[in-house]
Amino acid sequence: QFFVFCHGLLQLSQLLVSGYLKSSISTIERRYGLSSQTSGLLASFNEVGNTLLIVFISYFGSRVHRPRFIGCGAILVSLAGFLMSLPHFITGPYEYDQSVASMFSNTTDLCQPGVPGSQGNLSDAGCTPHAARENHEVLLVMFIAQALLGIGGVPIQPFGISYIDDFASERNSPLYLGILFSVTVIGPGVGFMLGSAMLRFYVDIDKVTRDEVQLTNKDPRWVGAWWLGFLVAASLVAVSAVPYFFFPREMPKEEEILYHEGEFPLVLLRNLRHPVYLLVVLAQVNLSAMVAGLATFMGKFLERQFSLTASLANMIIGAVNIPGAMVGIVVGGAILKRFQMSLRQCSAMCVLGMFLCLVLALPLLFLGCPTQKVAGVTYSESSESGHHAFECNLQCNCPEKAYNPICGSNAIEYISPCSAGCRVVNINADNNVVLNYTNCSCISENRLAGFAKPGTCGTGCSHLFLPFVVLSCLAGILASTSHTPSFMLILR
């Protein structure tokens, strides 16, 4: 029971590292100019090291000191967490587009005819060979950290599960594993909650004073302290690894049985020819693929689809969706213990849970709004209000890489005041907050130049937010009830 407690704590901490990356992925994209394709590859790269070693380590693990191997793996995971935060310390401070000249900058994103874009705007300042080289260094460090995370995680789950299953009775094993799985689900949940808290702090909180930060966390240019959570998570993993170096070696019965059954290739071939084993593994692969996609990009989807901040999106996932999955795992383990289900009944329970999940998830396909019209990106036409990036702002000398979004009075979003041809900015004299932009040549209303407000236009989907959260949570609960039964099918 003490091992179950320690292992639950370790897996919670381990998954806190990987879960925190997914909670801050959109912020890291914004900070280092990464595409979703690159960030998605980064988020899944930990599976490379894990996949290459998991089969061999799991087999030969019966002949080693499993708790000590788990402890060593945890040390690698902790090192990976610290490495993930390293890019913040080896790159310069975050630079964002400035819309108002201030005591800290004499740049502006307004339309300035006759002024070259590279001199009158800050937007191209980061597009230098040095900045590009920094991003390559950042990616290299992060990919190495993700590979270490995957390698360090190899012995943790299989060794822990087999160690518990060896010493627990067949009657209590499903309950112990159900508790273990439910506790480990909390890891990503805490990761998203940690992301929600850390992303409220400015990214360069250690490099600039609070008075120098002119943005709020609701500003689309805001970048939170994504690196801070990795330091916290890595420290927790390091502490959780200590007890494993003091647990005794496993009982010898499993080692003797496996040794006399044959060599590794024969055992692997026998398992691959077993139809039940193959079907369960295939089902878990598909479920893991779905969960990986959701965990990585659901936060970004919530931000764009329902106009949420990164902090609030992480809080919803961490406080609603993931605890719902935890409830499903606990219920699945409790049902197995209460009714002492056979393997056939475990299979039926998995099928029923996933079928009901699909029924509830089907309406999610129809909950959403059209993509926001962004001039020059998702919207372009040759009418008066069209071709915004080419005709109406030719004299503005706008930089190509500007990002300081505004919402025009014509309900079209522009990537910067300059791209909308805005020549005047109105600010609140008391707190230096931008009220609106006027005299915008690209925003036409009754053949007169229109105005724009700072920030994105958002969407009209706010009324669909609650149904989306409820349905996705219930679907996750039902899908998670199959978690423990599927593992019992493999173990038995």
Side-chain angles (χ1 to χ4, degrees), residues 14 177 236 294 371 401 469:
Q14 174 205 1
L177 293 181
L236 288 177
L294 281 174
T371 302
K401 301 296 183 180
V469 171

Side-chain angles (χ1 to χ4, degrees), residues 158-171:
F159 284 9
I161 291 175
S162 64
Y163 196 86
I164 291 170
D165 196 51
D166 283 349
F167 291 98
S169 65
E170 288 195 12
R171 177 180 177 82

Side-chain angles (χ1 to χ4, degrees), residues 246-390:
F246 301 96
F247 278 107
R249 187 185 176 100
E250 64 175 323
M251 290 193 294
K253 61 177 183 178
E254 185 184 20
E255 179 179 342
E256 293 174 1
I257 294 173
L258 286 174
Y259 181 79
H260 293 299
E261 281 182 345
E263 293 301 315
F264 171 71
L266 297 178
V267 175
L268 179 62
L269 182 62
R270 186 193 64 190
N271 283 336
L272 292 178
R273 293 172 60 186
H274 199 294
V276 174
Y277 176 82
L278 281 181
L279 286 172
V280 174
V281 170
L282 181 62
Q284 289 189 342
V285 166
N286 281 277
L287 190 60
S288 297
M290 180 192 74
V291 171
L294 281 174
T296 304
F297 291 114
M298 186 174 179
K300 189 173 182 179
F301 173 80
L302 292 177
E303 291 177 41
R304 296 300 302 171
Q305 189 65 210
F306 302 108
S307 302
L308 305 182
T309 64
S311 177
L312 181 56
N314 286 332
M315 181 173 292
I316 294 298
I317 298 174
V320 179
N321 292 86
I322 291 182
M326 182 190 70
V327 169
I329 293 176
V330 172
V331 170
I335 291 176
L336 255 65
K337 176 177 171 61
R338 172 67 178 82
F339 297 102
Q340 292 295 298
M341 288 185 166
S342 65
L343 296 184
R344 186 179 297 272
Q345 290 171 326
C346 285
S347 302
M349 182 176 173
C350 291
V351 172
L352 179 62
M354 295 309 302
F355 174 75
L356 294 177
C357 168
L358 289 175
V359 171
L360 278 181
L362 191 62
L364 294 176
L365 294 173
F366 308 101
L367 293 180
C369 292
T371 302
Q372 172 63 44
K373 293 181 179 180
V374 181
V377 181
T378 62
Y379 176 81
S380 179
E381 61 181 39
S382 57
S383 62
E384 283 186 27
S385 60
H387 275 205
H388 311 288
F390 304 102

Side-chain angles (χ1 to χ4, degrees), residues 24-34 87-95 134-135 138 142 202-204 207 221-224 226-227:
S24 57
I25 199 73
S26 63
T27 299
I28 295 175
E29 286 179 1
R30 189 178 299 117
R31 173 63 181 90
Y32 295 109
L34 307 181
H88 170 74
F89 301 99
I90 63 175
T91 57
Y94 169 57
E95 294 181 342
E134 281 187 344
N135 286 355
V138 164
M142 287 187 167
Y202 186 63
V203 61
D204 292 323
K207 299 177 182 178
R221 296 168 293 170
W222 173 270
V223 170
W226 60 272
W227 53 275

Side-chain angles (χ1 to χ4, degrees), residues 17 55 94 116 118 127 148 177 202 249 381 386 444:
V17 177
V55 175
Y94 169 57
S118 59
C127 301
L148 283 178
L177 293 181
Y202 186 63
R249 187 185 176 100
E381 61 181 39
S444 176

Side-chain angles (χ1 to χ4, degrees), residues 121 189 398 417:
N121 294 274
C398 300

